[in-house]
């Protein structure tokens, strides 16, 4: 029923990704829109490169299948803030 599309500015401190009113996540699409810096994404409370499940290089994208309640995704930029495209859709 619900879908969210957002461009979130992710800084060099860990922050939760905004998923809006999504209550039953189906898919989460992420794209690093920066031309220089990478961003690390984690399902932990604090994202760091060592515990992230993916590192999005400049221009990289990933699709995550999330079943049930939306995961608490966190992200952290490497050197400078990056714009991260976040698209989340309910099942």
């Amino acid at each position: 029923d619900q879908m969210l599309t957002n461009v979130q500015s992710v800084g060099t401190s860990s922050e939760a990704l905004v998923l809006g009113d999504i209550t039953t996540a189906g898919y989460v699409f992420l794209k690093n829109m920066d031309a220089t810096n990478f961003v690390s994404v984690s399902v932990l409370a604090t994202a760091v490169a060592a515990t992230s499940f993916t590192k999005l290089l400049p221009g990289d994208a990933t699709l995550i299948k999330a079943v049930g309640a939306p995961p608490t995704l966190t992200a952290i930029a490497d050197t400078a803030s990056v714009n991260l495209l976040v698209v989340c859709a309910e099942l």
Side-chain angles (χ1 to χ4, degrees):
D1 291 335
Q2 301 293 321
M3 183 173 174
L4 167 111
T5 301
N6 182 41
V7 174
Q8 183 169 339
S9 178
V10 176
T12 55
S13 296
S14 181
E15 61 185 80
L17 297 183
V18 177
L19 299 181
D21 293 332
I22 304 294
T23 57
T24 306
Y27 293 93
V28 180
F29 173 80
L30 304 172
K31 180 174 181 177
N32 180 356
M33 298 175 67
D34 196 80
T36 306
N37 300 297
F38 70 84
V39 62
S40 296
V41 181
S42 178
V43 291
L44 300 176
T46 303
V48 293
T51 60
S52 66
F53 69 85
T54 191
K55 176 166 100 173
L56 298 176
L57 299 175
D60 274 356
T62 189
L63 180 65
I64 304 161
K65 182 171 182 180
V67 179
T72 302
L73 296 173
T74 55
I76 186 169
D78 173 46
T79 305
S81 294
V82 302
N83 284 332
L84 184 66
L85 174 63
V86 180
V87 179
C88 185
E90 283 187 329
L91 282 174

